């Protein structure tokens, strides 16, 4: 059987969401420790809402995130 999919009740899913966060006017604000602080905040928010971050990378003016989630919040396993 294919292990790439999660199952809950009669549903089978593999939901990944790409997100790009950009600074206003593309200002190069995400340097050094600021980028690390922003990444940590994103990890904290993701954990609070039950998302799993697969990958996250920063550049000087944007952040790329790849999140894994379930179709509904009730499906999140604690």
């Amino acid at each position: 059987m294919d292990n790439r999919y999660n199952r809950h009740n009669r549903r089978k899913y593999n939901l990944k969401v790409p997100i790009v966060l950009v600074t206003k006017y593309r200002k190069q604000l995400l340097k050094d420790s600021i980028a690390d602080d922003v990444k940590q905040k994103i990890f904290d928010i993701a954990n609070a809402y039950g998302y799993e971050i697969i990958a996250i990378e920063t550049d000087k003016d944007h952040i790329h995130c790849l999140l894994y989630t379930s179709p509904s919040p009730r499906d999140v396993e604690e």
Side-chain angles (χ1 to χ4, degrees):
M1 201 56 164
D2 198 21
N3 291 334
R4 292 181 304 169
Y5 297 99
N6 286 335
R7 299 171 196 271
H8 185 73
N9 291 338
R10 289 172 272 163
R11 293 177 286 172
K12 186 175 173 181
Y13 59 88
N14 185 7
L15 185 59
K16 294 179 181 144
V17 181
I19 297 174
V20 179
L21 304 170
V22 181
T23 59
K24 190 171 184 177
Y25 305 120
R26 287 279 188 173
K27 289 187 179 181
Q28 297 185 358
L29 302 174
L30 301 171
K31 299 176 185 175
D32 304 325
S33 65
I34 295 173
D36 294 334
D37 293 341
V38 172
K39 278 185 185 180
Q40 185 59 49
K41 191 64 172 175
I42 291 171
F43 274 108
D44 294 343
I45 293 169
N47 287 334
Y49 286 97
Y51 301 120
E52 176 187 342
I53 296 179
I54 298 171
I56 186 169
E57 290 296 327
T58 61
D59 200 1
K60 294 175 184 170
D61 62 353
H62 65 278
I63 299 173
H64 288 269
C65 295
L66 183 61
L67 300 176
Y68 174 79
T69 186
S70 64
S72 84
R74 290 182 292 254
D75 296 342
V76 176
E77 297 177 14
E78 297 291 327

